[in-house]
Amino acid sequence: QVQVVESGGGLVQPGGSLRLSCIVAGSMSSRYTMGWYRQTPGKQRELAASISSGGGFRNYASSVKGRFTISRDSAGRTVYLQMNSLKPEDTAIYYCNSDPASFSWGQGTQVTVSS
């Protein structure tokens, strides 16, 4: 059974940066395409970015392309999301999961972009 633990969120001003981390623990976890999802109250959870098991393929939602970068370590067990040029509309709880999502959801990490 794969478990995920997200961290790195916080309060940041517009234009600022944050780096989120997700530890993926479990058998064969490094073999999964992984994604960062985000959710705001009253809205469906959306996939913001994903990365293939080997790290060679990455996809981004149009709303974050050019500002966010997804990566994973060489062992494939930690997935990162570097977020630059943050906007108030990026405020959300951020979660990681496989893409498509197949693990139990973690607690997520809150990102708040506000002056």
Side-chain angles (χ1 to χ4, degrees), residues 71-85:
S71 62
R72 64 196 304 168
D73 67 0
S74 57
R77 297 187 181 277
T78 304
V79 183
Y80 303 98
L81 186 68
Q82 177 67 43
M83 305 186 295
N84 299 328
S85 302

Side-chain angles (χ1 to χ4, degrees), residues 17-101:
S17 299
L18 281 175
R19 189 192 196 204
L20 307 183
S21 298
C22 170
I23 297 175
V24 188
S27 174
M28 298 192 295
S29 58
S30 62
R31 298 188 182 185
Y32 289 88
T33 292
M34 292 298 296
W36 278 99
Y37 301 75
R38 62 185 186 179
Q39 187 171 27
T40 54
K43 293 187 177 181
Q44 279 194 325
R45 196 169 291 170
E46 65 169 352
L47 178 65
S50 63
I51 185 168
S52 61
S53 58
F57 296 95
R58 308 176 190 190
N59 286 297
Y60 298 93
S62 57
S63 57
V64 308
K65 190 173 291 186
R67 300 186 298 120
F68 290 10
T69 302
I70 189 170
S71 62
R72 64 196 304 168
D73 67 0
S74 57
R77 297 187 181 277
T78 304
V79 183
Y80 303 98
L81 186 68
Q82 177 67 43
M83 305 186 295
N84 299 328
S85 302
L86 282 161
K87 305 175 180 180
E89 51 264 43
D90 294 318
T91 296
I93 300 175
Y94 285 72
Y95 303 87
C96 70
N97 207 312
S98 57
D99 176 26

